[in-house]
Amino acid sequence: MKFVIQRDQLIKSVQDVMKAISSRTVIPILTGMKIEAKQHGITLTGSDSDISIESHIPAEEDGKVNVEQIEEGTIVLQAKYFPDIIRKLPEKTVEIESDENLKITIRSGKAEFNLNGQDAEEYPQLPMLQTDESFEIPTDLLKSLIKQTVFAISTMETRPILTGVNIKLADNKLSFTATDSHRLASREIPVKEANIEFQSIVVPGKSLNELNKILDDTEETVEISVTSNQILFRTKHLNFLSRLLDGNYPETSRLIPEQSKTTLHVKTKELLSTIDRASLLAKEERNNVVRLATKDDSNVEITSNSPEVGTVAEDVTIQSMEGEELKISFSSKYMIDALKAIEYDDVKVDFTGAMRPFIIRPAEDDSILQLILPVRTY
Amino acid sequence: MSRLNQKKGRIIFHIDMNCFYASVEMAYNPELKGKPLAIAGNPEERKGIVVTSSYEARAKGIKTTMNLWQARKLCPELIVMRPNFERYRTASREIFKMLSEVTPLVQPVSIDEGYMDVTNCHEQGNTLDIAKNLQNKILEKLDLPCSIGIAPNKFLAKMASDMKKPLGITILRKRELHQILWPLLVGEMYGVGEKTAEKLNAIEVNTIGDLAKKDVYQLKQVLGINGERLNNRANGIDDRPVDPDAVNDFKSIGSSQTLAYDTTDDTEILKVMEHLGANVERRMKRKNAAGMTVQLMIRFHDRRTITRSRKLQTFIDTKEDILHVANELLQKHWNLEPIRLLGITVQDVAEKQTISQQLDLFTYEKTASKEKLYKTVDSLTEKFGKNIFKTLNENDNKDLIQPTTSFQKDFLDDFKR
């Protein structure tokens, strides 16, 4: 195998693929990166058996030559050293060559690295997914679906299923839901021309976080296909395959209150920065608790106190309030996460009592929902 | 202002009960007096170690934490008794009651020792008389001997009470430091353990006097901030107030058990874990507390000991929750070598009053169903002040007779009640 490649292109691909490679893995060869050279281009593969990423660099794209002098072949090299080597090479192009003894030579300018490779035959075959059952959504939309929900997954292994994001596709509606049982984030978007439906799959939060890092913020589409135990995200040059979590995701829709006893309309930024300030005195070991109390039609008071440190109180101007008076305590962290995820200027907060979940939504958009369980203070 | 004045010339007592458990047993059964007596965990099994012994037993070389069979070898006529914690608790409660009749500034440290600040007690007579009266009263009413150290601060009082036993009263004045305290080896200083003593000896600090004169910078290099603290103490400086509320500052609650024999038997080990979990839960209930970190201690057959802990996101207080985490730690960190001792400790403990509970999406209905009750409690609390309600605890009295050898501070709650 041999080829000469534009270094910038290679760096980007290597970085993406490295997201799937772990130095600790049950199958030793997975600590390596697979490089495959074909006449139409180069494909890099990395996998930790939970996530597999394939990045393709076409030989030629938009009249620009990325890879030249291609002699077809495949090799696996040690991923630990590869990214740093490529990044620090002196010239704009890199020549990579492997021989029948699995020796790899990397040349750039006057620098030459000789590395030991491994036989690509031993690298596990990535499962091929049946791709005619798929649907497409714009990449930037997928990224915001992820960003608006994935932060709410559980980091505790006590309920493994909650460490994933629940994805549903039915009636041309795609929904993402995540909860750690203390707060819940969900968003629903319409999807055109989906020729598949699935009721409830659960994608590990870690996979979605990595995917979000790799995907560029473009309007180009991502093709998504799902099997019983895997999900594939495919863009022009990238295949991102993740396993699904086993088990039943709890039914959350019936847990979301439908009526409201107190409704506030408020500017997202004002509420966010007030809570952020109050949270300075809220302590993690006390659930970061801040208290919200309605005052009149145009003000709510946010307070927090830490017996050893001191207290803080601040009024937030609200656009309007309907319903009963209310005093409620909740985690400032959850509130900040939720408000940041909403991405709208105005929000509506619906409360149903001091011991019941409350809901934050954009004032004009019901598709995004952030739910938080309050904190009971003794 | 009064606090500032106090600092100038404080008078602190350290009360140390002599051979407390053994003395209590002798008070209950005077026939035991004058005989070598040891209180031990479990006389039948290996885990029986000497918890306390009478002076007669100590004269034969018997020491605390010694194995029973060793002790019996040294002193064949040794009388061995299981601990009766309920008796010790009762006695302790009575003692602290007497101390607080002298001054409200009493700080219990453990079941058998405590500090008193008697600076402002001059109307009760001169200091030495107060001490003598107190010692006599405890001896007459409870038949229990104690030693009292009198000094201008807690550290010196503690050192002083140790100097004359039993039934001693020792006054340690600051100007006498260099004669009385400084010639002693550093290892004898309160707060200096075996490890610290070794480190100090390595930099040619052998006596408390050496420590007092040593360069603070160098001590800090070796012992960190504790180096400066110990240097201060050696110079007779200790500003800590006698804090009657210190008892309530508990940071961890735990329980440990030495196994009857080294084992790798799963069922055996899980049984012990179960038992420890129940112990911890009981102690947490008694303190009305909950904690956020669970620590597991494993001592292997070769005495190698590891502790592994896990911090949670929420407070827990039930046996199930504690065991869930503890067993997870065991699974993860036990290398299957034979185990000699297991311990479970819950750390980052706080009183439930001061903590809050993050409600859970899947269970909030249970709490919410009591919302009206809580609201009423809240509004009544606002009207009448805190602590007007108390949750009745069925287990309140059942757990008093628990034969455990581990050191318990729980009794102090009784004193506070």
Side-chain angles (χ1 to χ4, degrees):
Chain A
M1 181 197 75
K2 188 188 163 191
F3 58 88
V4 176
I5 189 165
Q6 294 296 315
R7 195 164 62 95
D8 285 350
Q9 288 281 340
L10 185 60
I11 289 173
K12 168 86 176 71
S13 269
V14 168
Q15 268 171 359
D16 287 354
V17 170
M18 282 303 290
K19 296 268 190 312
I21 299 177
S22 160
S23 53
R24 280 168 299 163
T25 149
V26 195
I27 310 167
I29 200 165
L30 290 184
T31 58
M33 184 184 296
K34 187 168 100 167
I35 302 180
E36 184 173 21
K38 287 260 173 72
Q39 281 310 322
H40 58 77
I42 306 300
T43 305
L44 305 181
T45 307
S47 174
D48 65 358
S49 68
D50 285 341
I51 303 174
S52 303
I53 302 173
E54 270 182 12
S55 176
H56 185 69
I57 305 169
E60 222 185 294
E61 190 181 28
D62 307 328
K64 200 176 135 224
V65 176
N66 293 323
V67 195
E68 302 169 285
Q69 302 170 39
I70 299 172
E71 288 171 23
E72 295 197 345
T74 329
I75 190 82
V76 174
L77 54 68
Q78 292 176 43
K80 192 178 167 192
Y81 306 98
F82 194 49
D84 284 342
I85 292 174
I86 301 299
R87 202 168 33 236
K88 295 189 173 174
L89 286 175
E91 295 296 322
K92 282 207 168 123
T93 59
V94 183
E95 182 189 314
I96 297 179
E97 188 178 0
S98 69
D99 62 20
E100 62 277 18
N101 296 323
L102 307 173
K103 296 286 177 214
I104 303 159
T105 309
I106 302 172
R107 291 188 200 93
S108 178
K110 291 175 188 161
E112 183 175 307
F113 285 82
N114 289 294
L115 303 178
N116 300 323
Q118 279 173 283
D119 190 353
E121 290 290 307
E122 284 162 31
Y123 199 86
Q125 280 289 326
L126 295 188
M128 299 296 284
L129 277 188
Q130 185 60 259
T131 50
D132 37 294
E133 287 196 343
S134 65
F135 66 100
E136 293 186 354
I137 60 169
T139 308
D140 50 0
L141 190 55
L142 174 62
K143 279 175 76 86
S144 49
L145 276 167
I146 295 174
K147 277 187 281 186
Q148 284 169 336
T149 53
V150 75
F151 65 86
I153 60 163
S154 168
T155 51
M156 301 259 284
E157 298 287 329
T158 41
R159 283 186 79 176
I161 198 78
L162 297 185
T163 62
V165 176
N166 179 216
I167 303 179
K168 275 185 210 170
L169 178 62
D171 307 328
N172 287 327
K173 272 189 225 150
L174 174 70
S175 76
F176 277 45
T177 306
T179 180
D180 59 6
S181 84
H182 298 141
R183 34 84 179 268
L184 177 145
S186 83
R187 182 169 179 195
E188 193 175 82
I189 58 159
V191 181
K192 276 175 269 169
E193 295 160 25
N195 57 12
I196 54 166
E197 286 208 342
F198 45 88
Q199 262 318 303
S200 175
I201 61 164
V202 186
V203 184
K206 180 173 179 288
S207 302
L208 293 175
N209 275 323
E210 298 300 346
L211 177 65
N212 182 44
K213 281 184 214 159
I214 294 173
L215 292 177
D216 293 323
D217 226 343
T218 69
E219 287 170 17
E220 284 178 33
T221 58
V222 185
E223 186 185 280
I224 302 171
S225 29
V226 175
T227 68
S228 62
N229 57 6
Q230 285 183 308
I231 183 165
L232 174 69
F233 300 87
R234 181 201 283 272
T235 67
K236 216 201 267 166
H237 300 312
L238 194 77
N239 282 351
F240 186 104
L241 187 71
S242 168
R243 81 179 169 98
L244 300 177
L245 290 180
D246 247 355
N248 291 323
Y249 201 80
E251 180 53 57
T252 50
S253 55
R254 64 182 172 78
L255 296 169
I256 296 167
E258 277 162 5
Q259 8 49 327
S260 159
K261 282 189 185 160
T262 312
T263 303
L264 306 178
H265 286 266
V266 61
K267 293 278 179 205
T268 315
K269 250 198 192 141
E270 279 183 37
L271 184 57
L272 178 61
S273 46
T274 303
I275 302 245
D276 198 14
R277 274 189 288 277
S279 76
L280 294 174
L281 295 192
K283 284 190 152 182
E284 202 189 335
E285 60 267 29
R286 302 218 178 100
N287 299 310
N288 298 303
V289 68
V290 296
R291 199 170 161 86
L292 178 150
T294 53
K295 280 182 107 177
D296 49 48
D297 287 348
S298 54
N299 282 296
V300 294
E301 187 187 46
I302 305 290
T303 54
S304 178
N305 80 84
S306 203
E308 314 85 66
V309 188
T311 61
V312 49
E314 182 176 344
D315 282 2
V316 189
T317 311
I318 53 174
Q319 313 311 112
S320 70
M321 174 192 145
E322 294 131 42
E324 301 172 9
E325 284 184 8
L326 175 82
K327 282 179 187 159
I328 189 168
S329 298
F330 50 81
S331 155
S332 54
K333 180 179 181 299
Y334 294 162
M335 190 65 166
I336 290 168
D337 284 349
L339 291 172
K340 277 187 179 159
I342 274 187
E343 294 177 354
Y344 278 80
D345 292 342
D346 299 276
V347 287
K348 185 176 88 166
V349 192
D350 284 310
F351 298 94
T352 48
M355 303 283 165
R356 293 173 182 278
F358 59 94
I359 292 171
I360 310 152
R361 284 197 176 100
E364 309 293 336
D365 184 353
D366 271 359
S367 74
I368 298 174
L369 175 144
Q370 299 288 344
L371 171 145
I372 295 173
L373 272 295
V375 168
R376 171 162 134 64
T377 48
Y378 287 83
Chain B
M1 268 315 277
S2 65
R3 253 197 120 78
L4 273 179
N5 290 337
Q6 269 180 26
K7 283 244 165 110
K8 275 202 157 166
R10 295 187 298 162
I11 306 168
I12 309 295
F13 283 8
H14 179 254
I15 317 292
D16 194 0
M17 302 307 297
N18 305 130
C19 315
F20 184 55
Y21 294 176
S23 301
V24 174
E25 295 300 346
M26 290 177 175
Y28 263 82
N29 180 3
E31 279 181 24
L32 293 169
K33 282 188 181 177
K35 291 177 185 158
L37 171 68
I39 311 296
N42 208 337
E44 290 85 40
E45 290 180 65
R46 189 190 68 183
K47 63 183 166 186
I49 54 162
V50 176
V51 183
T52 329
S53 54
S54 65
Y55 284 109
E56 291 77 13
R58 287 181 198 190
K60 304 256 173 165
I62 287 166
K63 285 180 182 140
T64 300
T65 74
M66 187 177 266
N67 269 322
L68 259 191
W69 58 268
Q70 270 177 312
R72 284 209 167 98
K73 220 154 79 186
L74 286 170
C75 176
E77 69 275 22
L78 185 70
I79 303 167
V80 180
M81 293 181 73
R82 279 172 179 255
N84 294 298
F85 280 104
E86 192 35 36
R87 287 181 182 173
Y88 313 148
R89 250 173 215 273
T90 314
S92 179
R93 202 153 46 215
E94 291 305 315
I95 293 162
F96 283 111
K97 225 185 258 167
M98 289 182 190
L99 301 194
S100 32
E101 279 164 14
V102 177
T103 169
L105 289 174
V106 174
Q107 178 182 350
V109 182
S110 70
I111 196 161
D112 63 350
E113 61 172 307
Y115 293 101
M116 302 164 68
D117 187 332
V118 296
T119 313
N120 295 321
C121 299
H122 14 263
E123 70 273 12
Q124 295 176 40
N126 79 45
T127 307
L128 194 58
D129 287 343
I130 298 176
K132 274 184 188 154
N133 288 340
L134 187 61
Q135 194 179 51
N136 284 336
K137 201 166 149 195
I138 298 175
L139 188 64
E140 274 166 28
K141 293 217 167 150
L142 302 173
D143 199 6
L144 294 173
C146 70
S147 292
I148 302 181
I150 307 173
N153 61 48
K154 281 162 97 175
F155 168 70
L156 294 178
K158 168 100 186 168
M159 293 302 293
S161 71
D162 215 27
M163 287 175 182
K164 217 184 285 165
K165 284 180 174 179
L167 284 169
I169 294 181
T170 310
I171 303 179
L172 188 53
R173 296 183 179 82
K174 242 180 156 173
R175 59 173 184 272
E176 299 163 348
L177 278 191
H178 60 283
Q179 298 159 8
I180 299 177
L181 201 61
W182 287 8
L184 300 178
L185 294 173
V186 273
E188 287 176 52
M189 182 169 155
Y190 174 64
V192 177
E194 215 176 298
K195 284 267 162 61
T196 310
E198 268 173 36
K199 284 182 194 164
L200 286 170
N201 292 341
I203 55 168
E204 286 161 21
V205 172
N206 295 312
T207 66
I208 298 179
D210 293 342
L211 178 61
K213 283 176 254 170
K214 193 80 185 171
D215 178 36
V216 175
Y217 182 78
Q218 207 178 340
L219 286 170
K220 269 188 173 169
Q221 297 283 311
V222 183
L223 300 173
I225 187 72
N226 197 35
E228 188 172 355
R229 197 177 296 138
L230 290 176
N231 173 270
N232 276 336
R233 302 264 161 92
N235 281 302
I237 303 166
D238 178 8
D239 281 341
R240 289 173 303 160
V242 172
D243 179 4
D245 292 325
V247 178
N248 298 331
D249 291 345
F250 41 87
K251 300 229 164 68
S252 68
I253 294 175
S255 176
S256 67
Q257 188 177 359
T258 307
L259 309 185
Y261 39 84
D262 302 343
T263 185
T264 55
D265 180 2
D266 274 356
T267 39
E268 184 94 0
I269 286 166
L270 287 179
K271 230 167 73 192
V272 174
M273 293 290 282
E274 192 86 5
H275 175 68
L276 294 174
N279 268 348
V280 175
E281 178 189 59
R282 182 164 35 78
R283 290 182 187 174
M284 304 247 289
K285 284 246 159 74
R286 189 149 50 201
K287 293 185 189 220
N288 199 20
M292 276 231 282
T293 303
V294 177
Q295 186 194 62
L296 174 73
M297 176 160 78
I298 308 173
R299 178 167 301 150
F300 295 105
H301 58 106
D302 53 0
R303 299 198 65 81
R304 206 163 36 82
T305 308
I306 59 165
T307 56
R308 295 290 180 270
S309 63
R310 165 125 190 240
K311 187 161 183 150
L312 310 169
Q313 286 179 325
T314 51
F315 279 93
I316 57 169
D317 64 344
T318 62
K319 181 180 145 192
E320 284 103 65
D321 287 342
I322 297 164
L323 272 179
H324 181 88
V325 184
N327 281 329
E328 226 175 65
L329 288 167
L330 181 71
Q331 290 272 322
K332 208 166 161 186
H333 298 289
W334 177 32
N335 56 7
L336 301 179
E337 277 180 43
I339 294 179
R340 175 164 299 177
L341 172 145
L342 282 167
I344 299 177
T345 304
V346 175
Q347 299 166 319
D348 297 322
V349 172
E351 264 185 285
K352 277 191 183 162
Q353 273 183 33
T354 68
I355 61 182
S356 48
Q357 180 199 0
Q358 169 68 55
L359 300 185
D360 184 293
L361 181 59
F362 303 103
T363 59
Y364 76 87
E365 288 288 356
K366 220 168 67 190
T367 322
S369 65
K370 288 190 186 168
E371 191 169 352
K372 279 213 175 107
L373 171 68
Y374 290 141
K375 252 191 183 162
T376 316
V377 171
D378 278 352
S379 66
L380 287 173
T381 305
E382 246 167 63
K383 241 187 220 163
F384 301 110
K386 284 239 166 198
N387 300 328
I388 50 165
F389 291 97
K390 207 174 169 190
T391 313
L392 289 175
N393 192 343
E394 287 175 27
N395 298 325
D396 238 9
N397 291 310
K398 281 186 193 160
D399 55 18
L400 288 172
I401 316 144
Q402 287 293 331
T404 44
T405 48
S406 59
F407 174 67
Q408 298 190 338
K409 280 195 176 180
D410 306 1
F411 73 95
L412 297 168
D413 306 335
D414 305 339
F415 164 67
K416 285 282 146 190
R417 254 176 212 165

